[in-house]
Amino acid sequence: MQSRGSSNRLSSTVVKTPISSLLFSMFATLASIYVAGRLWQDAQNRVHMIKELDRITGLGQSAISVDDTLKIIACREQQKKLTELEMQLATARQEGFGSKSSVDTNDNRSEKRPLVVIGILTKFGHKKNRDAIRKAWIGTGTALKKLENDKGIIARFVIGRSGNHGNSLDKGIDSEHKQTNDFIILENHVESPEEFPKKAKLFFAYAADKWDAEFYAKVNDDIYVNIDALGATLATYVDKPRAYIGCMKSGEVFSELGHKWYEPEWWKFGDKKQYFRHASSEMFVISRALAKFISINKSILRTYAHDDVSVGSWFLGLDVKHIDEAKFCCSSWSSGAICAGV
């Protein structure tokens, strides 16, 4: 038989057990609701963040890596620069600037490349020679222009400046050029006999930069040129990209001081004292590629005592086609000659 105290403890235990279970169930339910709510909120935040990322980057439905983000930033910077350049280009075009090809396209015309640019190397006091050349084979005014337009032959007298810049010699050339408009005046070249090879180099460099011709010719101002024969002959060599055309020779190197053809650096040409193969000075022609070579390297190309030797030396190490053309032997007066001394 149980005691009264035992009965009370049992009753208390029976009463407390259902209450504890109920409280535990309520707590678990609330905890589940809280966790589910947090998970739902996190999911909503993640969706919102992805949508915002998609809206900013415009790259679709999925998140992107750091590398991809950096690439996007770089692309945007390039796009920004491209847009700025396009705006600058549009502004330049409005101000009249544009590439030669675009100008030709807009004008529906293509400019034909000149056949040859002839540099007639002249000197102070040689006006009679120049007038004789104008009368004999290059013409003046409209005739000179017709020679350029119809035959593709550009002819100019080449001269530098006097040692006393701006004196009567310079003024005389300026006045003559104003009347005839047929000079190339080398402003940074001082006229002197020993600087004649340098003058030839500066002419080729200047002409190659100013005119994109097939050929470039050097002629002395005491030479008569048969323009028609020159044009016909050069037309046969257009397919030779590195042509060096002239009356080829290999003359003696003179080491005696005071000799007309004295070469101060004679010792560079070997024990036999013979020059390498080169074209005679009166007249010779080089192709566009060789003229461009001179223009690019003019500051380091060595000149010797004579212009023909100097030019020939520049081509020794190049893959150049030396064309020995008898028609360029100006002193021979051969049949069909292109040039002749006067």
Side-chain angles (χ1 to χ4, degrees), residues 94-167:
Q94 290 177 357
E95 294 177 355
F97 295 94
S99 65
K100 183 178 184 297
S101 59
S102 64
V103 172
D104 288 345
T105 301
N106 292 336
D107 291 347
N108 295 320
R109 56 186 171 85
S110 58
E111 187 176 342
K112 186 178 179 180
R113 178 178 289 154
L115 177 63
V116 60
V117 178
I118 304 173
I120 308 165
L121 273 60
T122 189
K123 303 175 182 177
F124 293 122
H126 282 207
K127 188 176 185 302
K128 289 183 177 179
N129 292 38
R130 293 190 291 272
D131 287 340
I133 288 174
R134 291 181 181 117
K135 184 177 180 179
W137 57 276
I138 70 170
T140 58
T142 56
L144 182 64
K145 199 67 179 175
K146 185 177 177 63
L147 182 66
E148 297 179 14
N149 295 335
D150 294 353
K151 299 182 183 297
I153 297 176
I154 299 170
R156 296 290 187 272
F157 293 103
V158 183
I159 197 166
R161 290 298 190 181
S162 67
N164 299 317
H165 191 74
N167 64 7

Side-chain angles (χ1 to χ4, degrees), residues 227-298:
I227 287 293
D228 291 332
L230 174 64
T233 300
L234 292 182
T236 64
Y237 295 119
V238 171
D239 62 335
K240 302 292 189 297
R242 293 179 297 277
Y244 174 33
I245 313 168
C247 183
M248 296 293 170
K249 63 179 183 178
S250 300
E252 181 181 355
V253 180
F254 294 95
S255 58
E256 296 81 16
L257 184 63
H259 193 281
K260 180 180 179 180
W261 306 115
Y262 170 63
E263 174 57 70
E265 297 188 79
W266 56 267
W267 52 273
K268 287 186 176 181
F269 299 95
D271 296 335
K272 294 184 178 180
K273 297 182 181 180
Q274 287 290 122
Y275 284 119
F276 41 78
R277 198 72 167 163
H278 64 278
S280 180
S281 177
E282 289 86 1
M283 181 178 184
F284 57 85
V285 178
I286 62 175
S287 64
R288 181 173 68 260
L290 299 185
K292 293 291 185 183
F293 170 80
I294 295 173
S295 175
I296 294 170
N297 298 284
K298 60 180 179 293

